[in-house]
Amino acid sequence: QVLAVGLNSFGQLGIASSSSSTSSVALVRDQSGSPLENITQVSASNSHTLFLRSDGTVFGAGYNKYGYLCNSTAVEKQTWAGVIMPSSVVSIVAGSSWSVFVLRSNTAQTCSTSPADPVAIPSVSNVARAYGAG
């Protein structure tokens, strides 16, 4: 189980509100309330949070005005929503105004300005390492 406390002004704790938490909160539940299991990596910024599961799927919550959650919307999410990727993800990084996803296909995608059109990066050798995802 993953627990968190802290600032939540954009819903980045995924607790179905934007109220900050001063005590531990059960964090990783999907929109139906079921716990997300097999979390292998967590990456958080000041505005959004990403969770990677062992099956290569990613869930995110928080600020999404510019598509940081890569879910084909520009709507802030206060509950965990699936991130849309073309293939299985092996590593994630949530930055202050972007997200990087390293894919099993040895490519990377970033979401930062256009929620409907993530940018595909053809090689992760230098890009992913620069963002701490390699």
Side-chain angles (χ1 to χ4, degrees):
Q1 185 176 36
V2 179
L3 303 175
V5 295
L7 186 64
N8 191 39
S9 53
F10 299 110
Q12 62 265 38
L13 294 181
I15 58 173
S17 81
S18 59
S19 298
S20 295
S21 172
T22 58
S23 61
S24 294
V25 176
L27 181 64
V28 188
R29 295 188 179 275
D30 66 18
Q31 291 176 330
S32 69
S34 300
L36 290 178
E37 298 178 340
N38 304 312
I39 303 299
T40 60
Q41 186 181 356
V42 178
S43 186
S45 76
N46 61 332
S47 63
H48 67 291
T49 306
L50 301 171
F51 282 90
L52 174 63
R53 292 176 35 173
S54 60
D55 65 0
T57 56
V58 179
F59 287 80
Y63 190 69
N64 196 36
K65 181 177 180 181
Y66 299 106
Y68 307 153
L69 301 180
C70 221
N71 64 0
S72 296
T73 73
V75 177
E76 186 175 285
K77 297 298 293 182
Q78 295 180 350
T79 58
W80 297 103
V83 171
I84 300 169
M85 286 290 121
S87 67
S88 186
V89 176
V90 297
S91 190
I92 55 176
V93 179
S96 61
S97 59
W98 46 265
S99 298
V100 173
F101 306 87
V102 177
L103 308 178
R104 193 166 312 282
S105 61
N106 201 33
T107 60
Q109 260 187 253
T110 182
C111 296
S112 61
T113 57
S114 177
D117 188 23
V119 177
I121 301 169
S123 172
V124 300
S125 60
N126 293 323
V127 175
R129 285 184 185 87
Y131 286 104

